[in-house]
Amino acid sequence: ILKIFKESNKMFKYMENYLNIGVGFQRLLGFILSFFMIIHIVACLWILTVQFYESAEGTWMEGDIYQMDAPEKYLTSIYFTVTTITTVGYGDVSISTKLEKVFCIVTMLTGVIAFSFASGSLASILQSYDIQNAKYKE
């Protein structure tokens, strides 16, 4: 993990020096990359929750989902993770077990915190951009 942070730090310094991208945009880009990493990890853990049971009956993979090949299961898991984190929740993939309910609660709380942070970062970037525009026009 430390190596990943060092490499991402090098990437952000490169963007700042050579691409002339501001710190606010770097923060937003870093958050977006982190968000996609969180989605990937949660989707993988979501698939793993089924492994605690002897069969897929009574779990979120019951029926057609269990018969899918691995990439389709992963895509369905990503889909469910994104709809849960964004609090959209279409209901076409549903949870049944206690473990899945606890996992969804944690995922929803993570999503709310992440979206709050993203909204604040985006508002800060836009405000900074507006102030710079006003100074330029003056």
Side-chain angles (χ1 to χ4, degrees):
I1 295 176
L2 209 61
K3 186 177 179 182
I4 293 171
F5 285 126
K6 286 180 182 177
E7 290 300 318
S8 64
N9 193 24
K10 286 180 186 177
M11 181 182 69
F12 287 131
K13 286 187 183 209
Y14 171 79
M15 288 189 325
E16 185 176 357
N17 293 334
Y18 297 106
L19 300 178
N20 203 16
I21 294 175
V23 176
F25 185 73
Q26 286 180 18
R27 229 176 45 198
L28 182 65
L29 186 62
F31 174 76
I32 289 170
L33 292 174
S34 300
F35 190 68
F36 282 121
M37 183 62 81
I38 289 171
I39 287 173
H40 167 72
I41 291 170
V42 170
C44 291
L45 290 173
W46 187 242
I47 291 172
L48 188 66
T49 60
V50 177
Q51 304 305 316
F52 290 103
Y53 300 97
E54 290 181 19
S55 70
E57 289 182 33
T59 66
W60 73 274
M61 271 197 203
E62 186 174 37
D64 294 339
I65 299 172
Y66 189 73
Q67 303 302 324
M68 294 178 181
D69 57 345
E72 264 188 298
K73 283 181 186 176
Y74 177 71
L75 182 62
T76 304
S77 181
I78 291 269
Y79 166 77
F80 181 77
T81 301
V82 170
T83 57
T84 302
I85 286 178
T86 59
T87 67
V88 172
Y90 291 118
D92 51 349
V93 178
S94 60
I95 58 172
S96 329
T97 66
K98 290 179 185 178
L99 176 64
E100 292 171 352
K101 290 176 184 178
V102 169
F103 191 77
C104 275
I105 289 169
V106 172
T107 303
M108 285 184 266
L109 290 174
T110 303
V112 167
I113 292 168
F115 270 145
S116 299
F117 181 76
S119 298
S121 293
L122 186 59
S124 173
I125 290 168
L126 292 176
Q127 181 182 12
S128 173
Y129 180 73
D130 286 343
I131 290 171
Q132 289 174 356
N133 261 351
K135 285 182 182 178
Y136 176 73
K137 287 181 181 179
E138 247 181 56

